[in-house]
Amino acid sequence: MKLHIITRRFALLAAALCFAVSNVSAQDQPRVRLVTNMGDIIITLFNETPAHRDNFLKLTREGYYDGLLFHRVIKNFMIQAGDPDSRGAEAGKFLGDGGPGYTLPLEVDLPRHYHYRGAVGAAREPDDVNPERRSSGSQFYIVWGQRQSYDDLKYARQRVEEATNGEAEITDEMAKIYEKTGGAPHLDGQYTVFGEMEAGEDVVKAIQTVETDENDRPLTDVVILKAEVLE
């Protein structure tokens, strides 16, 4: 299962993570810790996307993510996990098609939750086989992205408007964040953003730079040793 990737310019990433872009207090929202073999990542889940929030908590409590890989990593873009077939997968095996056997409805909450750096979104099948843009029941990604130039944002705005028939837009406030700290604006309005990274910037930064094969799978496994709800 792959995000639909749009060709884009890559630039050096120098900005620090900014988690203050959401106007909802993280104190009122559930949190999950991903303990990986490269360090810990803490994710805050959004109450505005209840189907994805509740599903992620359910799977976490069931131990679903324990032992799974970050099976797809693209430098300067994102890191992706949640395929149950990745647990114990032999080297070189193609991954990304697995899931729990169900999908979730698209939950878009623009302009509050979008693809700034640190955003957590749900992976899904492409539009040609998934016109309702339903999310994978388990696969998710954490955005790294790059700082966006004026031309980058002009293209992204056009892409989002066309892809959503004018129902979604990149606002000026969103654009300021993309210019300052980076992200993946071309995905806005088409994928569910259901959380954000609260801690673990250094871990995600390290993961997104690992060497990968032709299918974007890390050559050395990046493993979620344990996922736990922080009560």
Side-chain angles (χ1 to χ4, degrees):
M1 182 170 299
K2 293 186 176 182
L3 299 178
H4 183 58
I5 302 174
I6 308 298
T7 302
R8 54 203 183 281
R9 300 184 188 90
F10 289 117
L12 292 175
L13 298 169
L17 258 172
C18 175
F19 299 116
V21 292
S22 172
N23 60 6
V24 179
S25 172
Q27 295 177 354
D28 301 325
Q29 298 173 101
R31 299 154 69 233
V32 170
R33 177 188 288 120
L34 304 178
V35 180
T36 83
N37 61 334
M38 293 183 67
D40 293 1
I41 302 167
I42 296 178
I43 293 171
T44 297
L45 304 178
F46 297 145
N47 293 326
E48 295 75 25
T49 52
H52 288 73
R53 175 201 62 197
D54 294 348
N55 181 68
F56 199 79
L57 291 171
K58 173 182 176 291
L59 294 180
T60 298
R61 290 188 173 110
E62 291 174 352
Y64 185 96
Y65 292 112
D66 298 355
L68 301 192
L69 304 180
F70 276 99
H71 66 271
R72 187 163 178 257
V73 170
I74 301 178
K75 187 177 181 180
N76 292 343
F77 181 31
M78 61 92 216
I79 64 175
Q80 183 173 330
D83 180 355
D85 297 336
S86 70
R87 185 181 287 108
E90 65 270 21
K93 178 181 178 180
F94 175 81
L95 299 168
D97 291 333
Y102 59 84
T103 59
L104 300 172
L106 179 68
E107 293 182 299
V108 172
D109 187 33
L110 289 173
R112 177 158 36 191
H113 303 314
Y114 53 100
H115 287 85
Y116 50 82
R117 187 182 295 179
V120 179
R124 64 170 176 83
E125 296 290 350
D127 291 359
D128 57 348
V129 296
N130 179 26
E132 295 182 353
R133 295 170 172 166
R134 293 182 65 88
S135 301
S136 164
S138 61
Q139 293 195 40
F140 66 96
Y141 56 90
I142 303 175
V143 175
W144 186 256
Q146 62 177 340
R147 286 195 283 180
Q148 302 291 303
S149 68
Y150 174 84
D151 287 340
D152 292 332
L153 286 167
K154 182 178 180 180
Y155 172 77
R157 279 175 151 152
Q158 179 180 356
R159 161 66 186 168
V160 169
E161 182 177 358
E162 292 176 352
T164 64
N165 295 318
E167 294 181 4
E169 68 171 339
I170 297 172
T171 67
D172 290 343
E173 289 304 311
M174 293 163 63
K176 290 177 183 177
I177 296 298
Y178 283 132
E179 290 176 333
K180 182 178 180 181
T181 60
H186 64 283
L187 301 179
D188 286 338
Q190 304 150 76
Y191 292 79
T192 297
V193 174
F194 66 93
E196 67 181 3
M197 183 170 52
E198 176 184 319
E201 172 192 2
D202 57 336
V203 179
V204 175
K205 182 178 182 180
I207 293 174
Q208 60 93 35
T209 62
V210 300
E211 189 175 358
T212 59
D213 64 17
E214 65 274 11
N215 294 312
D216 302 315
R217 177 179 170 179
L219 298 181
T220 299
D221 287 345
V222 181
V223 188
I224 299 175
L225 302 174
K226 183 175 180 58
E228 55 189 0
V229 177
L230 299 178
E231 306 290 358

